């Protein structure tokens, strides 16, 4: 068989390699502490699961769910957004349900890019941003994220020749994996840049609530309230512990929403109505569980950072997200994949190698704070024995 060339860039997946390494460690008898995946160990709140459970016995929810059947969810999403960011949203033309925000970043390039067009992506960045561009037969121009720039891209560094062929830019702050937060002034600059160069501005926004100061992170639509070039993707996976339910939504420019809806209509229907009922309960109900999540992650962050510092691994304290972005010790500075593979092979501690997030992620690893503090302490003890045998 001969397969499409667009699959070629997808053949090598660092995270699939890490899954094999974890399986090998388990087979050798090691207990694995998996800090490589951002899948929280916390449950969805009772009022969310109750809403889903109540739908199960309602046979009217058991059929296909088309766009117009999602009206109540779209209204809840619009109300939630306006309450958070004071930007008005039309639930009919500016909201689209998604199977998590990853569906949005993976499918929007199919609506925006022609073969050969460029997308400007953050490097390091979330792998599905790259995958969506490859599936659309587009080209990627990586915008380097450097610590000295606060892990924000420098738009002026993008060559004019690339801009002439570019159709979209993808941002994501608070940022996975670097944990950086972008100020509203940066988004205002990004909007002006995309307006000037006729680029679609995509903002992947899964970690908006997971900020350890008093403020939530700014939205791209606060910088583009008329939604001239922008679309933003949300998920209930992180804030509401609903990762397995695969529910998110897009808010933004009506033409972009319509185009993404056309792609979606060719690929799938919407989720089960009961899941949407749970999402409505999450967005419109008590938000205490979101605050609790942040407090739990702050405690885990502090525990893990302090433990790393005790073993001599100096890592900055992240301002947001559920991750630690750690610069590797000098001996491993150019081979994060080997470090991650050897670490899990020898200790059972699994981490995400920075190279898996792009060329400029090399020299780092990402730890996910997905276990209780005592388990995180154990993980650091094992890491210490690996680094200093």
């Amino acid at each position: 068989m001969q397969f499409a060339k667009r699959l070629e860039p997808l053949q090598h997946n660092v995270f699939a390699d890490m899954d094999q390494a974890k399986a090998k460690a388990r087979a050798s008898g090691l207990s694995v502490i998996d800090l490589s995946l951002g899948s929280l160990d916390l449950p969805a709140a009772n009022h969310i699961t109750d809403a889903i459970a109540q739908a199960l016995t309602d046979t009217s929810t058991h059929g296909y769910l088309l766009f117009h059947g999602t009206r109540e969810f779209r209204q809840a999403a619009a109300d939630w957004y306006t309450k958070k960011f004071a930007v008005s949203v039309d639930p009919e033309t500016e909201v689209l349900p998604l199977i998590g925000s990853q569906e949005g970043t993976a499918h929007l390039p199919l609506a925006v890019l022609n073969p050969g067009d460029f997308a400007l992506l953050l490097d390091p960045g979330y792998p599905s941003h790259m995958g969506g561009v490859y599936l659309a037969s587009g080209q990627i121009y990586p915008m380097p994220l450097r610590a000295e720039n606060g892990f924000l891209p420098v738009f002026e560094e993008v060559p004019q020749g690339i801009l002439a062929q570019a159709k979209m830019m993808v941002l994501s702050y608070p940022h996975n994996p670097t944990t950086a937060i972008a100020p509203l002034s940066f988004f205002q600059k990004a909007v002006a840049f995309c307006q000037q160069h006729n680029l679609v501005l995509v903002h992947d926004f899964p970690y908006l609530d997971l900020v350890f100061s008093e403020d939530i992170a700014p939205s791209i639509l606060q910088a583009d309230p008329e939604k001239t070039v922008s679309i933003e993707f949300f998920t209930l996976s992180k804030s509401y512990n609903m990762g397995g339910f695969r529910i998110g939504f897009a808010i933004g420019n009506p033409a972009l929403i319509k185009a993404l809806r056309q792609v979606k209509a060719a690929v799938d229907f919407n989720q089960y109505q009961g899941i949407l009922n749970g999402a409505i309960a999450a967005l419109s109900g008590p938000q205490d569980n979101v605050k609790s999540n942040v407090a739990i992650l702050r405690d885990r962050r502090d525990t893990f950072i302090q433990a790393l510092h005790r073993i001599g691994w100096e890592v900055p304290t992240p301002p947001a997200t559920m991750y630690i972005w750690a610069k590797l010790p000098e001996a491993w500075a150019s081979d994060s994949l080997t470090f991650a593979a050897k670490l899990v092979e020898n200790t059972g501690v699994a981490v995400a190698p920075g190279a898996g997030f792009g060329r400029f992620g090399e020299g780092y690893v990402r730890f996910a704070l997905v276990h209780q503090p005592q388990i995180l302490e154990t993980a650091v003890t094992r890491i210490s024995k690996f680094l200093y045998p």
Side-chain angles (χ1 to χ4, degrees):
M1 294 183 184
Q2 292 184 341
F3 294 97
K5 291 182 179 179
R6 68 176 59 89
L7 290 183
E8 292 175 4
L10 306 178
Q11 289 177 359
H12 180 64
N13 186 312
V14 169
F15 300 101
D17 295 344
M18 284 304 301
D19 274 345
Q20 293 181 356
K22 285 182 282 187
K24 185 177 179 181
R26 291 188 180 98
S28 71
L30 285 172
S31 63
V32 171
I33 301 177
D34 194 349
L35 307 181
S36 66
L37 297 177
S39 183
L40 274 171
D41 57 326
L42 305 173
N46 289 339
H47 67 280
I48 296 172
T49 53
D50 287 346
I52 297 172
Q54 289 168 13
L56 293 174
T57 56
D58 179 0
T59 57
S60 70
T61 68
H62 293 184
Y64 291 124
L65 183 63
L66 301 181
F67 178 77
H68 292 291
T70 67
R71 178 66 170 77
E72 187 178 354
F73 170 75
R74 287 182 279 114
Q75 184 66 62
D79 292 344
W80 171 90
Y81 182 85
T82 298
K83 184 176 180 180
K84 269 188 180 293
F85 299 109
V87 175
S88 62
V89 177
D90 182 350
E92 288 300 320
T93 62
E94 298 178 339
V95 183
L96 183 69
L98 296 174
I99 305 173
S101 65
Q102 184 164 322
E103 183 196 0
T105 57
H107 283 166
L108 186 67
L110 293 170
V112 173
L113 301 178
N114 289 315
D117 288 341
F118 272 91
L120 312 181
L121 304 186
L122 302 179
D123 185 348
Y126 190 59
S128 81
H129 300 170
M130 294 174 272
V133 175
Y134 289 136
L135 289 175
S137 299
Q139 300 187 74
I140 291 172
Y141 180 81
M143 298 187 293
L145 304 185
R146 302 181 179 93
E148 58 265 31
N149 296 325
F151 294 112
L152 300 175
V154 179
F155 301 137
E156 293 79 10
E157 292 181 349
V158 182
Q160 289 300 315
I162 297 294
L163 287 172
Q165 302 176 68
K167 293 291 182 63
M168 65 188 294
M169 174 192 288
V170 181
L171 302 176
S172 184
Y173 291 95
H175 185 243
N176 174 17
T178 71
T179 80
I181 298 175
L184 183 58
S185 59
F186 168 81
F187 286 144
Q188 291 166 337
K189 185 176 181 180
V191 169
F193 183 84
C194 289
Q195 289 171 336
Q196 177 186 354
H197 296 286
N198 197 28
L199 301 174
V200 169
L201 179 51
V202 181
H203 187 226
D204 195 13
F205 203 23
Y207 301 99
L208 73 160
D209 288 307
L210 305 188
V211 177
F212 301 119
S213 63
E214 292 300 315
D215 299 323
I216 61 171
S219 160
I220 199 74
L221 299 182
Q222 290 176 292
D224 187 15
E226 300 302 318
K227 309 176 189 74
T228 60
V229 295
S230 306
I231 186 169
E232 196 156 52
F233 297 131
F234 302 85
T235 177
L236 280 76
S237 297
K238 310 303 182 183
S239 298
Y240 299 98
N241 305 331
M242 295 181 69
F245 295 97
R246 308 310 306 135
I247 177 67
F249 53 94
I251 290 181
N253 176 277
L256 290 172
I257 293 290
K258 181 180 179 181
L260 183 56
R261 180 181 166 188
Q262 288 174 307
V263 173
K264 183 176 176 65
V267 175
D268 60 53
F269 290 98
N270 291 290
Q271 296 93 320
Y272 169 54
Q273 179 66 61
I275 291 176
L276 292 189
N277 291 353
I280 292 167
L283 296 172
S284 60
Q287 301 297 298
D288 296 349
N289 57 315
V290 179
K291 295 179 181 178
S292 174
N293 280 358
V294 174
I296 289 169
L297 289 171
R298 183 189 292 112
D299 181 48
R300 292 180 180 186
R301 176 200 67 173
D302 293 345
T303 295
F304 198 75
I305 289 290
Q306 290 166 12
L308 286 178
H309 288 179
R310 282 199 298 272
I311 69 169
W313 193 345
E314 293 298 323
V315 175
T317 300
T321 77
M322 49 191 288
Y323 306 113
I324 306 292
W325 186 237
K327 192 169 186 177
L328 282 166
E330 190 62 34
W332 300 96
S334 60
D335 198 351
S336 59
L337 182 56
T338 299
F339 173 87
K342 292 290 187 182
L343 181 67
V344 71
E345 178 184 331
N346 285 275
T347 71
V349 177
V351 301
F357 299 95
R359 183 164 70 91
F360 290 92
E362 184 56 277
Y364 290 83
V365 290
R366 190 197 72 179
F367 300 97
L369 301 171
V370 294
H371 293 285
Q372 297 178 4
Q374 60 268 32
I375 297 177
L376 296 176
E377 292 267 14
T378 299
V380 176
T381 298
R382 295 187 188 180
I383 292 169
S384 179
K385 293 177 181 178
F386 174 74
L387 291 175
Y388 313 111

